[in-house]
């Protein structure tokens, strides 16, 4: 039994970085010892977080748990303050699983392996820090630290245009970070100065300040999610990043945008959310349709999957804007589900690239017979992405649609139009995914050479299976995931629904029905 008094969250956050400091002194010429060391650290971290949460996290609570607060830089008012709740705890576990598997997926890295695995472990800590920070400055610090490893991982181990993609990534995300800092400081210094996020959520801000801060956070987190038209860095970055880095980009980093929108925009600025919610719903529909149509037009496999991610993250926006328990629950489940599915698809894209040395789907083909395991795994992941019943994607998207349909806040015409447009995106998704499978595994591009391709190795099958298994389990028994955040979703919706009755909306088609939930 792990002692409850120990600062477990601090240990979980710092362990990967502290362990990474030992990489430069490991005697290893070929990088084999380093990769085993990095994998051992990641596995230990994953086991530690699972054990700690199993013993000390209480399901069914909507409050923060396992809180830890230590003075860090008193002159700046900066505290080392960590905690988890139903919103952050599942995302910490997702981070642990995806990052551990991405390190295992990078098994054949021979170019500067020490630096590569060092950056992967530092990135591991930064991601956990974003989801567990309860101090605004600490959150911002972790958000900024995360940018540096990603930039280096893309610029050093990426494709031919890696410098362009990495520079675009850092410019977009760094500019977005400025909006977090400005909006956060405005909230922190209104009234009694404080960077404690619990205190910030209790302050009564002027209406105009709420609107301005909401807009700033929306831009910052919209870059990360990403929201159209702040998305253009994502296809370029995915197109040039190595498969393990793409797994983390799609599986974890995009979820930081959705997490920020719920944590800051909904929880701290509910009055402003009433005004911006219709905009979020429209942007969600635009994301779904734009991402789906753009994915259909891509011949580069990873760029097609990147636009698919943009489309699927649109459902997160719809759930956030729904004002219903089902909608928010669907948005949270969509983040978890997409993290698993996208990580699996990008990993399998990397497996395919290792054999064909191309990402162009029109140059592939004839690989179904020599690579049956890869074909089967790719097909399962694609079915999950197109929301096949029995998979996690089906449950999450169904929850979002039901949340929209049962919302009593929006006028009926607006709600019907948005629901129909979003549903049309589900028709396009199978087209571009199934056509990709057909071209890659049954096309004629490299059929004459396909007989020499080797199938997925046991290590690669294991990695894909570790991602597919929770996709199927959650799809078959959603309560396994929803019970971790359901109480938090109800609490968030209750707060924003109270704001609906108090805030006059600028939109004529938004209203609060006479019957309240």
């Amino acid at each position: 039994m792990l002692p409850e008094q120990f600062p477990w969250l601090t240990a979980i956050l710092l362990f990967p970085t502290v362990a990474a400091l030992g990489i430069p002194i490991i005697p290893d010429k070929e990088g084999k010892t380093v990769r085993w060391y990095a994998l051992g650290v990641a596995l230990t971290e994953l086991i530690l977080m699972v054990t700690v949460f199993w013993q000390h996290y209480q399901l069914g609570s909507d409050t923060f748990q396992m809180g830890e607060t230590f003075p860090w830089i008193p002159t700046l008012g900066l505290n080392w303050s960590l905690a988890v709740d139903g919103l952050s705890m599942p995302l910490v576990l997702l981070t642990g699983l995806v990052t551990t598997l991405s390190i295992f997926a990078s098994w054949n890295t021979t170019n500067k392996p020490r630096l590569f695995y060092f950056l992967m472990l530092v990135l591991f800590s930064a991601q956990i820090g974003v989801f567990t920070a309860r101090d605004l400055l600490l959150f911002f610090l972790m958000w900024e630290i995360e940018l540096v490893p990603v930039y280096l991982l893309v610029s050093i181990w990426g494709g031919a245009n890696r410098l362009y993609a990495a520079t675009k990534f850092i410019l977009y995300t760094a500019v977005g970070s400025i909006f977090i800092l400005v909006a956060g400081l405005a909230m922190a210094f209104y009234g009694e100065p404080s960077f404690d996020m619990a205190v910030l959520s209790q302050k009564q801000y002027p209406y105009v300040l709420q609107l301005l801060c909401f807009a700033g956070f929306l831009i910052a987190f919209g870059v990360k999610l990403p929201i159209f038209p702040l998305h253009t860095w994502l296809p370029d970055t995915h197109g040039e990043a190595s498969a393990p880095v793409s797994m983390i980009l799609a599986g974890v980093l995009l979820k930081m945008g959705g997490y920020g929108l719920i944590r800051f925009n909904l929880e701290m600025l509910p009055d402003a959310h009433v005004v911006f919610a219709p905009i979020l719903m429209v942007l969600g529909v635009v994301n779904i349709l734009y991402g789906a149509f753009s994915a259909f037009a891509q011949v580069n496999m990873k760029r097609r999957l990147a636009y698919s991610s943009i489309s699927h993250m649109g459902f997160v926006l719809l759930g956030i804007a729904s004002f219903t328990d089902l909608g928010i629950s669907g948005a949270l489940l969509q983040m978890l589900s997409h993290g698993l599915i996208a990580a699996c698809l990008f990993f399998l894209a990397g497996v395919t690239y290792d054999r064909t040395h191309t990402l162009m789907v029109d140059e592939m083909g004839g690989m179904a017979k020599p690579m049956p395991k890869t074909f089967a795994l790719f097909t399962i992941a694609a079915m999950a992405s197109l929301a096949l019943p029995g998979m996690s994607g089906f449950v999450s998207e169904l929850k979002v649609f039901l949340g929209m349909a049962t919302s009593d806040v929006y006028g009926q015409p607006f709600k019907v139009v948005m629901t129909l447009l979003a549903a049309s995106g589900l028709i396009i998704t199978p087209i571009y995914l199934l056509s990709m499978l057909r071209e890659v595994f049954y096309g004629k591009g490299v059929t004459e050479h396909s007989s020499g391709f080797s199938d997925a190795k046991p290590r690669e099958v294991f990695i894909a299976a570790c991602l597919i298994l929770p996709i199927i389990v959650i799809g078959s028994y959603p309560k396994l995931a929803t019970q971790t955040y359901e109480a938090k979703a109800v609490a968030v919706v209750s707060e924003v629904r109270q704001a609906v009755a108090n805030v006059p909306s600028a939109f004529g088609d938004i209203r609060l029905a006479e019957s309240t939930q």
Side-chain angles (χ1 to χ4, degrees), residues 166-179:
T167 302
K168 194 171 185 179
F169 163 80
I170 200 71
L171 287 176
Y172 268 70
T173 50
V175 171
S177 299
I178 295 175
F179 287 92

Side-chain angles (χ1 to χ4, degrees), residues 106-123:
S106 61
W107 209 239
N108 296 323
T109 300
T110 57
N111 179 26
K112 302 175 181 173
R114 292 180 189 270
L115 179 59
F116 180 86
Y117 291 114
F118 176 85
L119 294 173
M120 292 286 278
L121 292 177
V122 172
L123 178 60

Side-chain angles (χ1 to χ4, degrees), residues 6-247:
F6 190 80
W8 289 113
L9 291 181
T10 299
I12 290 172
L13 193 161
L14 294 179
F15 175 68
T17 296
V18 173
L21 297 177
I23 289 180
I25 62 175
I26 295 177
D28 184 16
K29 292 183 179 180
E30 299 180 357
K32 294 182 179 179
T33 305
V34 171
R35 70 187 185 187
W36 277 108
Y37 176 81
L39 180 61
V41 171
L43 278 172
T44 303
E45 173 79 346
L46 179 59
I47 294 171
L48 176 63
M49 61 175 61
V50 170
T51 304
V52 169
F53 291 149
W54 180 267
Q55 294 189 8
H56 298 306
Y57 184 84
Q58 182 66 44
L59 295 176
S61 172
D62 62 352
T63 60
F64 283 95
Q65 303 180 44
M66 304 174 60
E68 303 167 6
T69 302
F70 309 100
W72 191 11
I73 309 178
T75 56
L76 297 179
L78 177 58
N79 294 319
W80 183 270
S81 181
L82 307 175
V84 290
D85 63 354
L87 175 57
S88 56
M89 190 276 286
L91 294 174
V92 173
L93 291 176
L94 176 68
T95 300
L97 177 62
V98 172
T99 306
T100 300
L101 293 176
S102 67
I103 290 176
F104 199 19
S106 61
W107 209 239
N108 296 323
T109 300
T110 57
N111 179 26
K112 302 175 181 173
R114 292 180 189 270
L115 179 59
F116 180 86
Y117 291 114
F118 176 85
L119 294 173
M120 292 286 278
L121 292 177
V122 172
L123 178 60
F124 200 171
S125 286
Q127 293 171 135
I128 295 172
V130 168
F131 294 130
T132 58
R134 289 296 293 145
D135 184 277
L136 179 60
L137 286 183
L138 180 61
F139 173 88
F140 179 76
L141 179 63
M142 294 297 170
W143 187 277
E144 291 296 283
I145 290 176
E146 161 264 325
L147 303 181
V148 178
V150 175
Y151 171 79
L152 294 174
L153 288 168
V154 175
S155 62
I156 298 176
W157 291 272
N161 295 321
R162 58 186 180 274
L163 291 178
Y164 169 79
T167 302
K168 194 171 185 179
F169 163 80
I170 200 71
L171 287 176
Y172 268 70
T173 50
V175 171
S177 299
I178 295 175
F179 287 92
I180 296 179
L181 182 61
V182 173
L185 290 176
M187 295 171 61
F189 286 101
Y190 177 79
E192 185 69 24
S194 176
F195 294 105
D196 189 328
M197 290 163 61
V199 174
L200 297 181
S201 63
Q202 298 299 320
K203 287 186 177 182
Q204 300 297 319
Y205 303 101
Y207 187 52
V208 174
L209 179 60
Q210 278 209 43
L211 295 175
L212 292 175
C213 291
F214 192 104
F217 286 133
L218 179 59
I219 293 173
F221 300 131
V223 170
K224 204 74 153 191
L225 192 65
I227 298 175
F228 176 89
L230 306 173
H231 69 285
T232 59
W233 65 271
L234 184 65
D236 291 325
T237 306
H238 270 309
E240 300 302 325
S242 61
V245 178
S246 285
M247 290 172 66

Side-chain angles (χ1 to χ4, degrees), residues 315-372:
F315 288 98
V316 175
L317 290 175
L318 294 184
I320 290 174
S322 68
F323 291 94
T324 62
D325 300 347
L326 272 175
I328 291 290
S329 178
L332 293 171
L333 187 58
Q334 177 72 349
M335 289 196 286
L336 298 175
S337 172
H338 179 266
L340 297 168
I341 296 170
C344 187
L345 285 171
F346 277 107
F347 168 70
L348 293 172
V351 172
T352 306
Y353 175 79
D354 288 341
R355 275 68 175 176
T356 63
H357 301 292
T358 181
L359 289 171
M360 303 301 168
V361 294
D362 56 351
E363 296 177 1
M364 301 183 189
M367 294 187 292
K369 289 185 178 180
M371 300 175 64

Side-chain angles (χ1 to χ4, degrees), residues 217-491:
F217 286 133
L218 179 59
I219 293 173
F221 300 131
V223 170
K224 204 74 153 191
L225 192 65
I227 298 175
F228 176 89
L230 306 173
H231 69 285
T232 59
W233 65 271
L234 184 65
D236 291 325
T237 306
H238 270 309
E240 300 302 325
S242 61
V245 178
S246 285
M247 290 172 66
I248 296 178
L249 275 172
V252 181
L253 264 64
L254 302 190
K255 312 307 169 288
M256 293 180 182
Y259 172 81
L261 285 174
I262 298 174
R263 178 69 77 206
F264 287 83
N265 294 61
L266 264 69
E267 282 197 300
M268 297 185 184
L269 305 167
D271 292 347
H273 179 67
V274 176
V275 174
F276 278 90
I279 299 176
L280 292 180
M281 188 161 288
V282 172
L283 289 173
V285 170
V286 171
N287 256 46
I288 293 170
L289 295 177
Y290 171 82
F293 279 113
S294 297
F296 187 72
Q298 303 301 312
V299 294
N300 182 299
M301 183 192 301
K302 291 183 71 175
R303 290 182 67 89
R304 181 174 295 195
L305 294 177
Y307 278 105
S308 174
S309 293
I310 295 172
S311 179
H312 283 93
M313 295 309 288
F315 288 98
V316 175
L317 290 175
L318 294 184
I320 290 174
S322 68
F323 291 94
T324 62
D325 300 347
L326 272 175
I328 291 290
S329 178
L332 293 171
L333 187 58
Q334 177 72 349
M335 289 196 286
L336 298 175
S337 172
H338 179 266
L340 297 168
I341 296 170
C344 187
L345 285 171
F346 277 107
F347 168 70
L348 293 172
V351 172
T352 306
Y353 175 79
D354 288 341
R355 275 68 175 176
T356 63
H357 301 292
T358 181
L359 289 171
M360 303 301 168
V361 294
D362 56 351
E363 296 177 1
M364 301 183 189
M367 294 187 292
K369 289 185 178 180
M371 300 175 64
K373 296 177 184 176
T374 306
F375 175 51
L377 294 170
F378 222 132
T379 301
I380 294 172
M383 293 298 127
S385 184
L386 60 82
L388 184 74
M391 304 286 196
S392 60
F394 172 78
V395 181
S396 61
E397 293 180 13
L398 179 62
K399 276 177 165 283
V400 170
F401 278 114
L402 290 177
M404 292 174 60
T406 58
S407 177
D408 61 351
V409 173
Y410 296 100
Q412 194 68 15
F414 178 81
K415 185 168 61 176
V416 170
V417 170
M418 292 295 103
T419 303
L420 291 177
L421 289 174
S424 64
L426 298 179
I427 301 174
I428 307 170
T429 302
I431 297 175
Y432 67 73
L433 286 174
L434 295 179
S435 66
M436 182 181 71
L437 288 176
R438 176 180 55 80
E439 291 182 84
V440 170
F441 293 99
Y442 289 103
K444 300 179 180 180
V446 290
T447 305
E448 63 273 15
H449 308 297
S450 61
S451 59
F453 294 151
S454 61
D455 203 357
K457 299 177 182 179
R459 173 182 62 86
E460 295 167 329
V461 174
F462 175 79
I463 293 172
C466 286
L467 293 167
I468 290 174
L469 180 61
I471 292 172
I472 297 176
V473 171
I474 294 174
S476 304
Y477 187 63
K479 187 178 179 180
L480 185 67
T482 59
Q483 65 181 343
T484 63
Y485 62 76
E486 203 69 57
K488 183 65 178 182
V490 172

